[in-house]
Amino acid sequence: MSVMSTTLDADLCAAAQAHPNIALIKYWGKRDVPLNLPVVGSLSITLDTLWTRTTVRFAAELPADRLRLNGREDAKQLRKVSACLDLLRARAGTGLRAEVTSYNNFPTGAGLASSASGFAALVLAADAALGLGLPPATLSEFARRGSGSASRSIFGGYVEWALGDRVDGEDSVARPIVDAAAWPLRVAVAITSTAEKAIGSTEGMNRTADTSPYQRAWIDTQEADLAEARAAIAARDFERLAAISEFSCLKMHALAMAARPGLLYWNAATMAAMHEVRRLRATGVPVFFTVDAGPQVKAICLPSAATQVAAALREIPGVLNVLETGLGGPATRIAVADAVAA
């Protein structure tokens, strides 16, 4: 793999790696679509072995921004990428266009938070290329403008994205609450489809907000869910975290299913995997599930159960693959050569 130009100006080129995150207390709904301001706070874990690696090069000879995602030009995502880069260009006082090359080592646009890791890596790489040195909270804010959940992928471990109350959104940023090493859970991701989901998250959130009769209840009960999850994490209480995480997951999907027309992100293998996780837990295996806006099932477990959980998920008809990972660290700058060789 190679970038589109072989003449890289070290002062205006940088690369970064970021990891996707999965929300245990779900984010669903925007109170301001252009700013990606949420209607509820959320809490997530950052994954380890799944990553996005992104190179950003600003150059005077570029007439417009370019984006190559997984080796292909991506006009669909370019508008959002350019809008996000505009935030950093404005801060740097430059009009230079950028060449962006990005790779994911996991399915893109399929309910595995590729936009979260993608925009976190983009913001960090652009910040480094422009020499801005922005603080983590600002990086989180700018990443949120590209994709809401990207605000959380700036950080590692257990992360909470604050609802905030400012109209400009400057206080709606994420913050780390517990390091990955402090409670090193494991995650088995059951891939039940590699196709891009038919209804994207933003469209799904807007439809839900406009038509679901459960929207008000979703908003009114979220703070109690967050408080419960914080307490479970602080106490390292796995059973308590399992209960509130599955509750939040099923509540989010019930909210979306009640939209008109209803949003059905699951397939048969998704359902089978969720039932298998509950069967395992009933036999004493420490594991619970969560599912984002897509068909993939994330089974979170204690390290002692990781091999058993992954093996059980692999036996389910319709499960194409199982990705095993631990909890990961924050978005980091990497050498351009490492990103190119991804």
Side-chain angles (χ1 to χ4, degrees):
M1 300 177 186
S2 63
V3 293
M4 296 170 64
S5 171
T6 58
T7 58
L8 298 179
D9 184 337
D11 293 333
L12 293 174
C13 182
Q17 174 175 288
H19 303 282
N21 68 79
I22 55 174
L24 303 183
I25 305 301
K26 298 298 188 187
Y27 152 55
W28 194 252
K30 305 173 191 278
R31 70 179 189 271
D32 185 305
V33 173
L35 293 179
N36 271 341
L37 295 179
V39 295
V40 293
S42 57
L43 191 151
S44 66
I45 49 177
T46 303
L47 304 182
D48 182 15
T49 57
L50 281 62
W51 49 252
T52 299
R53 291 176 180 169
T54 299
T55 302
V56 178
R57 183 177 72 94
F58 293 93
E61 80 269 11
L62 294 171
D65 291 332
R66 303 178 189 172
L67 170 65
R68 287 182 68 86
L69 176 60
N70 297 325
R72 297 182 178 182
E73 299 279 350
D74 193 326
K76 181 179 178 181
Q77 289 294 325
L78 179 58
R79 181 184 58 80
K80 292 178 66 176
V81 165
S82 291
C84 191
L85 289 174
D86 284 344
L87 301 173
L88 291 111
R89 280 187 281 246
R91 187 63 64 96
T94 181
L96 288 175
R97 300 295 100 185
E99 178 180 81
V100 179
T101 307
S102 190
Y103 299 96
N104 298 318
N105 73 338
F106 60 96
T108 301
L112 286 171
S114 58
S115 63
S117 54
F119 278 98
L122 175 74
V123 166
L124 185 58
D127 171 72
L130 294 170
L132 290 171
L134 296 172
T138 304
L139 294 173
S140 178
E141 178 191 354
F142 286 178
R144 184 206 76 223
R145 295 282 295 273
S147 172
S149 56
S151 64
R152 300 188 303 246
S153 278
I154 292 294
F155 305 101
Y158 301 78
V159 181
E160 182 171 350
W161 173 17
L163 171 63
D165 52 24
R166 289 177 56 119
V167 175
D168 61 12
E170 286 191 8
D171 59 348
S172 184
V173 297
R175 65 180 181 89
I177 56 175
V178 172
D179 289 342
W183 196 17
L185 300 181
R186 298 289 299 178
V187 182
V189 183
I191 305 296
T192 68
S193 173
T194 57
E196 187 171 344
K197 56 194 178 188
I199 306 296
S201 294
T202 296
E203 181 182 349
M205 288 181 196
N206 293 342
R207 182 188 301 179
T208 300
D210 291 341
T211 65
S212 179
Y214 304 148
Q215 179 76 2
R216 188 69 253 168
W218 168 251
I219 295 170
D220 290 345
T221 58
Q222 187 79 342
E223 187 49 50
D225 294 352
L226 286 166
E228 180 72 4
R230 290 188 210 106
I233 293 167
R236 310 296 192 266
D237 188 332
F238 186 84
E239 291 185 2
R240 191 175 181 184
L241 185 62
I244 191 60
S245 296
E246 286 193 3
F247 176 66
S248 178
C249 168
L250 295 174
K251 185 165 57 169
M252 185 202 90
H253 282 278
L255 170 76
M257 288 178 187
R260 299 185 67 177
L263 296 159
L264 297 173
Y265 286 108
W266 301 342
N267 57 36
T270 307
M271 290 291 296
M274 289 191 291
H275 283 296
E276 179 61 16
V277 167
R278 287 200 161 177
R279 185 195 69 79
L280 288 169
R281 191 163 70 248
T283 65
V285 179
V287 61
F288 65 89
F289 66 75
T290 192
V291 186
D292 293 312
Q296 328 301 356
V297 177
K298 295 88 173 181
I300 298 94
C301 61
L302 293 180
S304 59
T307 300
Q308 181 181 2
V309 169
L313 292 175
R314 287 191 177 96
E315 294 299 314
I316 296 172
V319 171
L320 307 177
N321 190 18
V322 175
L323 308 177
E324 299 180 61
T325 181
L327 305 191
T332 56
R333 185 175 177 182
I334 61 175
V336 171
D338 292 339
V340 169

